[in-house]
Amino acid sequence: MERHVVTGEGLPAQIGPYSQAVRAGGFLFVSGQPGVDPATGESAGPSFGEQARQAFANLDAVLRAGGSRPELVVNTMVLVADQADFTELNELFAEFFPSEPPARMTMQVPLPRGLLISIGCTAVVEG
């Protein structure tokens, strides 16, 4: 089986020794995408909503760079710093995945650098 690490301009910089995504066996495995502005490498803002919208934008960029798109996501793992943001997360998740949303696991965990959310997924690769 062939394995390909996804790279490209405009993708958010990872904050550790890992790949943004790896394509293998017709799937794309995307690492957790935090709410970090790719241009600055800093948090997209102090609020959960600001960071979550940026995390979804980062997820979209990595999916497309890897040959997939949101409609082909089959599973997600969402890490949040505070479960109190769960209602807002649901609203944003429904915006990003408006029909036939993927499976999802959401966990509350401490995140580095004051981040409030990180979203990773597995998606089918087009073609």
Side-chain angles (χ1 to χ4, degrees):
M1 175 174 26
E2 198 172 313
R3 178 183 178 277
H4 173 74
V5 173
V6 175
T7 59
E9 296 221 9
L11 296 181
Q14 60 266 24
I15 58 174
Y18 58 87
S19 299
Q20 290 288 27
V22 175
R23 191 171 52 223
F27 289 96
L28 183 66
F29 302 89
V30 180
S31 294
Q33 299 299 309
V36 172
D37 183 329
T40 66
E42 299 297 322
S43 166
S47 76
F48 178 82
E50 290 169 310
Q51 289 190 29
R53 286 188 186 285
Q54 186 64 58
F56 280 113
N58 294 344
L59 184 66
D60 185 66
V62 174
L63 284 167
R64 293 182 191 283
S68 192
R69 54 193 162 86
E71 297 82 8
L72 298 176
V73 172
V74 295
N75 189 40
T76 60
M77 173 162 310
V78 182
L79 306 177
V80 295
D82 188 345
Q83 285 289 352
D85 295 318
F86 196 75
T87 299
E88 188 172 7
L89 169 63
N90 279 340
E91 292 167 3
L92 294 169
F93 201 86
E95 284 179 31
F96 193 73
F97 300 109
S99 65
E100 298 183 357
R104 179 178 92 188
M105 179 189 305
T106 304
M107 297 173 57
Q108 180 177 329
V109 300
L111 293 167
R113 299 174 45 194
L115 295 171
L116 303 175
I117 185 170
S118 179
I119 309 167
C121 72
T122 303
V124 175
V125 175
E126 287 193 293

